[in-house]
């Protein structure tokens, strides 16, 4: 039952902040975000509208999420980064 599963506190917020940080978000360039659960993961997928002037990235956001998850589960955070979409899969926790 999905009601009994959890993700790590603020993980969703960090993922959504990264989407806004790394994409051009406007009426002309909408970012579509899809959130669902599949095979014991919370799957967050978005199309990519890469910013022309990129903010400097230290790539700490995803690393931080992965490190925090490693304390609670052996299931890894899965990243799929293709040319036109970005998918992050967060393991769903039972406790």
């Amino acid at each position: 039952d999905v009601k009994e599963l959890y993700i790590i506190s603020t993980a969703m917020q960090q993922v959504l902040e990264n989407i806004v940080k790394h994409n051009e978000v406007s009426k002309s360039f909408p970012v579509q975000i899809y959130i669902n659960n599949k095979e014991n993961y919370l799957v967050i997928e978005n199309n990519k509208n890469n910013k022309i002037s990129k903010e400097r990235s230290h790539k700490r956001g995803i690393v931080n999420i992965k490190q925090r998850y490693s304390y609670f589960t052996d299931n890894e955070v899965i990243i799929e980064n293709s040319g036109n979409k970005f998918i992050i899969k967060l393991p769903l926790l039972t406790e």
Side-chain angles (χ1 to χ4, degrees):
D1 185 18
V2 176
K3 294 178 187 176
E4 301 299 323
L5 300 174
Y6 307 92
I7 61 171
I8 291 179
S9 176
T10 72
M12 173 74 83
Q13 178 180 344
Q14 281 185 285
V15 171
L16 295 175
E17 285 175 354
N18 278 343
I19 292 170
V20 172
K21 178 180 179 182
H22 294 290
N23 288 283
E24 182 71 32
V25 181
S26 68
K27 214 177 215 185
S28 301
F29 298 100
V31 173
Q32 298 171 333
I33 302 170
Y34 302 96
I35 302 170
N36 60 53
N37 66 311
K38 184 176 183 180
E39 299 171 1
N40 293 319
Y41 281 89
L42 181 70
V43 180
I44 305 161
E45 176 181 344
N46 66 279
N47 62 310
K48 290 169 54 175
N49 294 328
N50 293 328
K51 286 187 175 183
I52 295 170
S53 61
K54 294 186 177 187
E55 291 183 39
R56 187 175 179 167
S57 176
H58 300 288
K59 307 225 184 259
R60 292 186 192 154
I62 299 295
V63 170
N64 179 280
I65 291 170
K66 287 181 174 183
Q67 287 174 339
R68 290 190 304 144
Y69 261 96
S70 71
Y71 289 113
F72 297 98
T73 183
D74 291 332
N75 296 330
E76 293 190 24
V77 173
I78 299 170
I79 306 293
E80 297 175 14
N81 190 3
S82 69
N84 61 354
K85 66 180 166 180
F86 183 84
I87 301 170
I88 185 166
K89 298 178 181 179
L90 304 174
L92 292 169
L93 308 173
T94 57
E95 297 178 16

